[in-house]
Amino acid sequence: MIRLYVENPLLENQDVVLTENQSHYLQKVMRLKENDDVLLFNGRDGEWKARITGTSKKSTILFPITQSRPQRREGDLWLLFSPLKPKRQEFLVEKATELGVSCLCLVHFERTSVPKVNFEKMQAHAREATEQCGRLTLPEIKPLMSLNALLKNWPAERFLLFGDESLSSPSLEALNLNPQKPYAFLVGPEGGFSPQELSLLKSFPQAQGVTLNPHILRAETAALVGVSYLQMKTQTVSSLVRNA
Amino acid sequence: MIRLYVENPLLENQDVVLTENQSHYLQKVMRLKENDDVLLFNGRDGEWKARITGTSKKSTILFPITQSRPQRREGDLWLLFSPLKPKRQEFLVEKATELGVSCLCLVHFERTSVPKVNFEKMQAHAREATEQCGRLTLPEIKPLMSLNALLKNWPAERFLLFGDESLSSPSLEALNLNPQKPYAFLVGPEGGFSPQELSLLKSFPQAQGVTLNPHILRAETAALVGVSYLQMKTQTVSSLVRNA
């Protein structure tokens, strides 16, 4: 069944009127009609089965029938990365969303070579992936910031693992991860960290470098290796029950 | 430094004459000239630093100067997947190559919906990723086969893990993997395994289903989660030394 993220509240007996874009998608792309059902979620009120009760050229009205899944806390895992070329970034946003990243944060490094970021596209890709993979919340997308600014405001309790290409850091699986603590994973730009950035990271109390693979990984590959491992290791088995 | 895969033998004092395509790439795309150096490898003779000693319109001659890395055995990990839409497949081939997959094998499932595979493009993507990531060998690419044919000729000593979306299988990290044994990872098509395929897999002695993530992963995401975890768990620390 089609899943749609909406901004509207989702409550029994309260109609949901879709935006023009989503209306177009349901009626023209997916060819749904009156009395067809879809799943709606808004990140707050769980997931609802809703029926199309009215259509017009620019609008669709849906009636929430029953809550199919209650809202629940989802994983807490941050991914921090340098802006990438559009296709690679789109791919990473999609994959990180599927894997359960709760916050995507772009970091500007000395060797960042992609000059600008299309945040609207990033948000659209994250929303589509959220709709597709069954999550109940969108990942948060933070504005671009410098490494210095990021570390200056770093939350005391969150661990920061970063991909270290020098092969001098322990492998991910050699770390003793604490599933009770929140983690973040940071990957540098294609050209690597500058020596200053590396020494800043190495001296940062909550940070730890990790070796990911014997080969030279592209930034988005490194990000996915780190994120998929951390998701597996720090999210409790109870979160593996999709419909709990 | 640019790395190029060649088919020629690589020996001291034996010129390497590039194909027209590679010649074009070096001269026109990368703008290299006589006396510039590149790295060459062929999957058999290690990696060589070589100097451009002659150029013509359609050809480039390189002279191997010194072996920069000896040939060595690389990881042994198979990835089996259903043909995907071109962009997703390109991405998966690139990432699996970077992560160290030794053999890419396409499997035709009942619900496979992509009708044909461009093996030449697959090979080109695998070669480019191999050149970029520092591997010394290309991944082998096997022709498309049915699940039945695959299992019929399955090597007795190789474990076969498959992504099971039902959430009834153990998680990857709950498995007791044996780093001395070869592994393969199998993901089904976007529509999932058919009930017959699932029961065939569940009754196959070397096969074991695994739960990868609480969300519904796309096929290529599932493949990358499995492959990156198996690479980490089954390849010994010695292989982490890039230049050993």
Side-chain angles (χ1 to χ4, degrees):
Chain A
M1 206 183 294
I2 290 165
R3 289 180 90 238
L4 272 189
Y5 173 82
V6 294
E7 309 227 319
N8 319 50
L10 294 169
L11 299 162
E12 229 161 340
N13 299 326
Q14 187 168 325
D15 281 343
V16 173
V17 182
L18 291 189
T19 63
E20 194 175 332
N21 275 347
Q22 291 188 310
S23 214
H24 175 85
Y25 172 74
L26 276 199
Q27 293 186 34
K28 302 295 174 193
V29 182
M30 302 312 294
R31 310 216 166 240
L32 296 194
K33 298 191 184 63
E34 257 191 60
N35 291 319
D36 286 337
D37 292 341
V38 298
L39 295 171
L40 302 178
F41 65 104
N42 61 9
R44 306 182 303 276
D45 302 321
E47 181 188 80
W48 287 73
K49 186 170 153 184
R51 185 155 297 162
I52 299 176
T53 55
T55 59
S56 70
K57 213 168 173 182
K58 296 195 171 178
S59 159
T60 305
I61 299 168
L62 289 144
F63 184 77
I65 301 170
T66 167
Q67 194 188 48
S68 46
R69 290 157 67 198
Q71 191 66 36
R72 59 176 179 77
R73 237 180 136 257
E74 293 188 318
D76 175 12
L77 174 58
W78 294 5
L79 172 64
L80 309 113
F81 59 102
S82 171
L84 299 171
K85 287 185 189 146
K87 276 188 192 166
R88 296 186 180 275
Q89 183 154 309
E90 174 179 346
F91 200 91
L92 179 55
V93 168
E94 179 185 296
K95 299 309 166 215
T97 303
E98 286 177 62
L99 292 172
V101 166
S102 57
C103 179
L104 292 158
C105 179
L106 287 163
V107 182
H108 193 276
F109 297 92
E110 283 180 46
R111 296 179 187 160
T112 291
S113 60
V114 175
K116 61 177 185 175
V117 178
N118 186 330
F119 279 95
E120 275 187 27
K121 277 205 176 163
M122 251 182 107
Q123 265 153 345
H125 296 143
R127 199 187 59 238
E128 280 162 30
T130 303
E131 291 172 343
Q132 182 270 326
C133 78
R135 281 175 65 149
L136 291 171
T137 55
L138 298 183
E140 186 186 356
I141 296 180
K142 295 227 180 177
L144 187 66
M145 63 181 90
S146 71
L147 184 62
N148 271 320
L150 180 80
L151 296 183
K152 210 170 161 187
N153 298 301
W154 192 257
E157 80 290 357
R158 187 174 295 268
F159 288 119
L160 173 61
L161 304 184
F162 62 94
D164 176 9
E165 295 186 302
S166 72
L167 298 178
S168 62
S169 290
S171 69
L172 258 179
E173 49 149 7
L175 299 181
N176 205 352
L177 302 177
N178 181 346
Q180 308 305 320
K181 289 276 189 178
Y183 279 83
F185 192 74
L186 168 74
V187 280
E190 288 289 345
F193 299 117
S194 72
Q196 290 78 2
E197 287 167 343
L198 199 57
S199 83
L200 186 62
L201 283 168
K202 286 192 168 174
S203 65
F204 192 70
Q206 294 99 314
Q208 166 70 54
V210 291
T211 297
L212 297 170
N213 192 281
H215 306 130
I216 298 159
L217 302 184
R218 285 187 184 273
E220 72 277 7
T221 317
L224 294 178
V225 170
V227 157
S228 81
Y229 191 80
L230 286 174
Q231 190 281 327
M232 212 178 287
K233 283 291 184 183
T234 64
Q235 290 179 23
T236 53
V237 179
S238 70
S239 77
L240 283 177
V241 183
R242 243 175 237 154
N243 295 303
Chain B
M1 207 183 294
I2 290 166
R3 289 181 90 239
L4 271 190
Y5 172 83
V6 294
E7 308 229 319
N8 319 49
L10 293 169
L11 299 161
E12 229 161 342
N13 299 326
Q14 186 171 323
D15 281 342
V16 173
V17 182
L18 291 189
T19 63
E20 194 175 333
N21 275 347
Q22 290 188 310
S23 214
H24 174 87
Y25 173 74
L26 274 199
Q27 293 186 35
K28 303 295 173 193
V29 182
M30 302 313 293
R31 309 213 167 242
L32 296 194
K33 298 191 183 61
E34 257 189 59
N35 291 318
D36 285 337
D37 292 341
V38 298
L39 294 171
L40 303 179
F41 65 104
N42 61 10
R44 306 181 304 273
D45 302 322
E47 181 189 80
W48 286 74
K49 187 171 151 179
R51 186 155 296 163
I52 298 175
T53 55
T55 58
S56 70
K57 213 168 173 183
K58 296 196 170 180
S59 161
T60 304
I61 299 169
L62 290 144
F63 184 77
I65 301 169
T66 168
Q67 194 188 47
S68 46
R69 291 158 66 197
Q71 191 66 36
R72 61 176 176 78
R73 235 181 136 258
E74 293 187 319
D76 176 11
L77 174 59
W78 295 5
L79 172 63
L80 309 113
F81 59 102
S82 171
L84 300 171
K85 287 185 189 147
K87 277 189 191 165
R88 295 186 180 274
Q89 184 155 309
E90 173 178 348
F91 199 92
L92 179 55
V93 167
E94 178 185 298
K95 299 308 165 216
T97 302
E98 285 177 63
L99 292 171
V101 166
S102 57
C103 180
L104 293 158
C105 179
L106 287 163
V107 182
H108 194 277
F109 297 91
E110 283 180 45
R111 296 180 187 159
T112 292
S113 59
V114 175
K116 60 178 185 175
V117 178
N118 186 330
F119 279 95
E120 276 186 27
K121 276 206 176 162
M122 249 182 110
Q123 265 152 345
H125 296 142
R127 198 186 61 239
E128 281 162 30
T130 303
E131 291 172 343
Q132 182 268 327
C133 79
R135 282 175 64 149
L136 292 171
T137 55
L138 299 183
E140 186 186 355
I141 296 180
K142 296 229 179 174
L144 187 66
M145 64 180 91
S146 71
L147 183 62
N148 272 320
L150 179 82
L151 297 183
K152 211 171 161 185
N153 298 302
W154 193 258
E157 80 289 358
R158 188 174 294 269
F159 289 119
L160 172 61
L161 303 183
F162 63 93
D164 176 9
E165 294 185 304
S166 71
L167 299 178
S168 61
S169 290
S171 70
L172 258 179
E173 50 148 7
L175 298 182
N176 206 353
L177 301 178
N178 181 346
Q180 308 305 321
K181 288 276 188 177
Y183 280 83
F185 192 74
L186 169 74
V187 279
E190 288 289 345
F193 299 117
S194 72
Q196 289 78 3
E197 288 167 341
L198 199 57
S199 83
L200 186 62
L201 283 167
K202 286 194 168 172
S203 64
F204 191 70
Q206 293 99 314
Q208 167 70 54
V210 292
T211 297
L212 297 169
N213 192 281
H215 306 130
I216 298 159
L217 302 184
R218 285 188 183 272
E220 71 278 8
T221 318
L224 295 177
V225 171
V227 157
S228 80
Y229 190 81
L230 286 174
Q231 192 282 328
M232 211 177 286
K233 283 291 183 181
T234 64
Q235 291 180 21
T236 54
V237 179
S238 70
S239 78
L240 282 178
V241 184
R242 243 174 236 153
N243 295 303

